Amino acid sequence: EVTVLASRSAGADPIPRDECVEYVDAVDLPLMFRASVLVAMYRWLRGRWRPGDIVIVNPDALWLVPLLKRLGIEFVHLDVRTLPVNVQGIKGRLDWLLFWYLPMVLFGHRPDGYSFITRALQREVERAFAFGRNRSVIWQSGVDLAHFRQSGPLRATERFQVFYHGAISIERGIDKLVEAMTIRPLPFAAELVIVGDGADRVQLEQLARRNGPDPHVRFAGFIPYADVVSAIHGADVCVCPLPDRLEWNVSSPLKVLEYMACGKPMILTPIASHREVVSDGRFVIWTAGFEATDVHDAIVRAWMQHEELTRAAAGARAMLEGRFEWVDQAAKLDRYLLSAHADVESAALGMSGARQ
């Protein structure tokens, strides 16, 4: 039996109930939001936990670990999916301090088990916080192949479409992608389509207009999740322009997996996490570096080699089967939790016998 605790703003419209998701109310104010979520989650657990339960927490919820242990919860598990990203301004630094650094330093050694999105992230966290090697498991990003279907043949269009979807952030290299379309003329008609939103969208829209009104870049905003696949299918080449930063080098690139599942040629920056997934992919154009000129040159090469890349990309989906599907990653976590749960129950029986 699994329950996911999620948050919502206090006073918000009721969210339809889900069979495994419970919502707790939170104060929708800067910094207060996370703190109020933690208080609400503790109250929920205090009244509902049962012997043998395993509680999985994110790093920001490590503040709860001493309280959970005091309640009698035998197994608390820490799941680390990413390093802090976009730490800017006073609020960002306070957030990093209160909900990453301090809880990891003070309580990061207290959980009974750990999971990480990649082995590289595990090594970095253990190095930064001097964690001992406790029980752990690696479960990476995955893709739902039933949802992200193979793309059919593209209709001939006037413009070569370059595509990105996800969070719109300069920290993700989107500025270099936008500049690549406008820094100098392309030798063919092209359009960059960006699906998603983020704090840097306005700044990037201004950057796109800097060299004139010609619509080389189109910001499509949020679209329903069900429509993302058809948006990917409309692209000639998909781009993941992540810069050479530690948090991206130890990540598991979800967008890359989704583009591969759809059988799309890609332009990728040469970071470790990209190469781990598609080191020998003949459907990838690798940028020579991380500047806008490098991305620009890669777009030109993708246009010149488009037919060859498209044929090769038809086999990208097969590289995911049995390895990067969500069901494969879930199986890793499931085996780990079953083993941990058996140990918890065994320990609980042992304690009961000792008391008798």
Side-chain angles (χ1 to χ4, degrees):
E1 182 179 339
V2 175
T3 300
V4 177
L5 283 185
S7 59
R8 65 169 194 162
S9 298
D13 293 336
I15 300 173
R17 289 186 60 83
D18 185 280
E19 61 181 12
C20 67
V21 180
E22 293 280 351
Y23 292 94
V24 296
D25 289 343
V27 179
D28 196 4
L29 293 173
L31 294 181
M32 289 297 295
F33 185 85
R34 287 200 191 189
S36 64
V37 168
L38 295 181
V39 171
M41 287 183 171
Y42 174 73
R43 287 174 175 168
W44 191 95
L45 284 164
R46 186 178 59 187
R48 292 172 176 82
W49 79 275
R50 295 293 181 268
D53 283 355
I54 295 174
V55 177
I56 302 175
V57 298
N58 294 327
D60 55 359
L62 281 170
W63 294 108
L64 298 181
V65 173
L67 299 174
L68 298 178
K69 289 294 186 179
R70 188 173 298 175
L71 285 178
I73 296 174
E74 294 95 347
F75 200 99
V76 179
H77 174 89
L78 174 64
D79 184 46
V80 186
R81 310 306 289 167
T82 182
L83 295 177
V85 178
N86 198 20
V87 181
Q88 295 181 349
I90 295 176
K91 180 184 178 300
R93 288 177 173 82
L94 277 173
D95 196 70
W96 172 85
L97 179 67
L98 294 175
F99 298 109
W100 170 258
Y101 183 76
L102 284 179
M104 290 290 277
V105 168
L106 296 174
F107 305 116
H109 63 286
R110 295 288 300 274
D112 305 284
Y114 301 83
S115 56
F116 303 89
I117 199 168
T118 62
R119 189 69 65 187
L121 178 59
Q122 179 180 10
R123 289 194 295 266
E124 177 58 27
V125 169
E126 290 178 345
R127 182 201 64 78
F129 298 103
F131 284 2
R133 287 193 173 273
N134 208 332
R135 177 199 298 266
S136 65
V137 64
I138 304 297
W139 66 293
Q140 298 173 270
S141 291
V143 64
D144 180 358
L145 293 182
H147 181 75
F148 286 88
R149 304 174 306 278
Q150 186 90 7
S151 174
L154 270 181
R155 295 179 290 103
T157 57
E158 294 182 358
R159 291 188 173 222
F160 184 77
Q161 187 180 107
V162 183
F163 181 86
Y164 168 86
H165 80 289
I168 299 179
S169 166
I170 289 174
E171 279 69 28
R172 294 173 182 266
I174 310 304
D175 56 332
K176 305 303 180 186
L177 179 55
V178 170
E179 285 183 46
M181 298 295 295
T182 59
I183 195 170
R184 57 175 182 254
L186 289 163
F188 51 92
E191 177 187 41
L192 168 62
V193 176
I194 298 177
V195 170
D197 212 336
D200 295 333
R201 176 174 172 175
V202 173
Q203 182 179 347
L204 291 170
E205 286 177 331
Q206 293 172 348
L207 177 63
R209 293 193 296 266
R210 185 174 298 168
N211 291 335
D214 192 47
H216 290 300
V217 183
R218 176 161 59 91
F219 290 84
F222 281 124
I223 64 174
Y225 181 73
D227 296 338
V228 170
V229 175
S230 59
I232 295 173
H233 286 178
D236 291 290
V237 66
C238 299
V239 188
C240 195
L242 294 175
D244 188 17
R245 294 169 55 137
L246 177 61
E247 59 264 34
W248 304 130
N249 275 287
V250 300
S251 68
S252 183
L254 178 60
K255 303 295 183 298
V256 172
L257 303 180
E258 293 171 349
Y259 297 152
M260 290 174 67
C262 291
K264 282 297 175 180
M266 292 184 293
I267 295 172
L268 301 178
T269 48
I271 60 174
S273 59
H274 286 165
R275 292 196 178 277
E276 181 181 351
V277 177
V278 287
S279 58
D280 58 350
R282 292 178 293 110
F283 48 88
V284 175
I285 296 291
W286 296 98
T287 63
F290 301 90
E291 297 303 319
T293 51
D294 299 314
V295 180
H296 176 97
D297 293 343
I299 292 171
V300 174
R301 287 175 15 234
W303 173 73
M304 294 175 65
Q305 302 174 35
H306 185 243
E307 189 173 327
E308 174 187 342
L309 290 168
T310 301
R311 285 197 302 268
R317 185 182 179 89
M319 297 173 64
L320 306 175
E321 294 173 351
R323 183 184 175 202
F324 283 110
E325 295 181 69
W326 277 123
V327 67
D328 304 314
Q329 301 304 321
K332 296 178 185 178
L333 185 62
D334 187 53
R335 287 192 297 269
Y336 164 87
L337 291 175
L338 286 172
S339 173
H341 189 266
D343 289 349
V344 169
E345 287 193 325
S346 177
L349 288 173
M351 291 177 63
S352 176
R355 285 194 295 267
Q356 291 174 2

